[in-house]
Amino acid sequence: MPFESLLRPLLLRAEIPFHSLSAGRTNEPLRIAQTTMAVAVCYEDAFGDEWIRQVPEFEFMTGLINAGWFDGSNMAIQHLQISQARAAEACRWLVRATNTGVSAFIDDKGKIRAALPVETAGVLTHELKLMRGVTPYVATGDGPVLAAALLTLIVTALWRIIGGWRR
């Protein structure tokens, strides 16, 4: 929990029962029969590093998502698009099950292959391809992008300091 030392007294006072949750030590895929799948719960699929810690062991991804708090907004669609990016980054199929958002099968390129619309109850089935291997993103993570962003900030600041942007 972020800022736990500050928030814990408030959570205890508010009698919120989940105040003592903590992150697990490992992020391992689930083994089912002859295959393995990575699982993300709710917002976790928005963060690529949550998935790549499990690669290359898993062969497909599953997102179990509570989209009820997106009610009346475009956030359910945006969350679907984030899932598409995660599938393409890892080059794995992603099976998404949501309560009120978009449940879908997303292929290893990030393309939606089958879906139930927002707030639609039903059963969705589709064949998926089990994948193996490592993509450049999986191999390097967020490091190169963060380094490039930092370098851009430093160059921009230095350019400004030495008068590179004169009127």
Side-chain angles (χ1 to χ4, degrees), residues 19 22 42 49 57 87 93 97 110 116 123 147-148 150 159:
H19 64 82
S22 62
C42 204
D49 63 327
E57 292 184 41
W93 278 69
L116 291 174
V123 175
L150 181 61
W159 186 261

Side-chain angles (χ1 to χ4, degrees), residues 61-72:
M61 303 154 69
T62 303
L64 308 171
I65 298 154
N66 173 7
W69 59 296
F70 295 152
D71 190 33

Side-chain angles (χ1 to χ4, degrees), residues 149-165:
L150 181 61
L151 181 62
T152 301
L153 286 172
I154 291 169
V155 168
T156 302
L158 289 174
W159 186 261
R160 184 160 185 143
I161 288 168
I162 62 172
W165 291 325

Side-chain angles (χ1 to χ4, degrees), residues 48-117:
D49 63 327
E50 292 287 330
W51 292 109
I52 66 173
R53 287 186 220 148
Q54 301 175 66
V55 172
E57 292 184 41
F58 69 82
E59 297 167 303
F60 73 100
M61 303 154 69
T62 303
L64 308 171
I65 298 154
N66 173 7
W69 59 296
F70 295 152
D71 190 33
S73 74
N74 290 327
M75 292 300 294
I77 302 302
Q78 182 182 26
H79 199 181
L80 172 66
Q81 293 168 338
I82 291 168
S83 293
Q84 289 177 267
R86 297 292 86 88
E89 286 171 351
C91 196
R92 299 290 195 280
W93 278 69
L94 194 153
V95 180
R96 244 177 143 251
T98 70
N99 57 350
T100 60
V102 180
S103 294
F105 281 83
I106 302 169
D107 73 13
D108 58 308
K109 306 284 189 256
K111 181 179 177 187
I112 298 169
R113 295 301 186 117
L116 291 174

Side-chain angles (χ1 to χ4, degrees), residues 6 33 46 94 135 145 157 159-160 166:
L6 297 172
L94 194 153
T135 65
V145 173
W159 186 261
R160 184 160 185 143
R166 294 185 186 151

Side-chain angles (χ1 to χ4, degrees), residues 128-143:
L128 59 91
K129 185 176 177 185
L130 301 178
M131 308 294 289
R132 293 182 186 262
V134 176
T135 65
Y137 174 72
V138 168
T140 61
D142 294 330

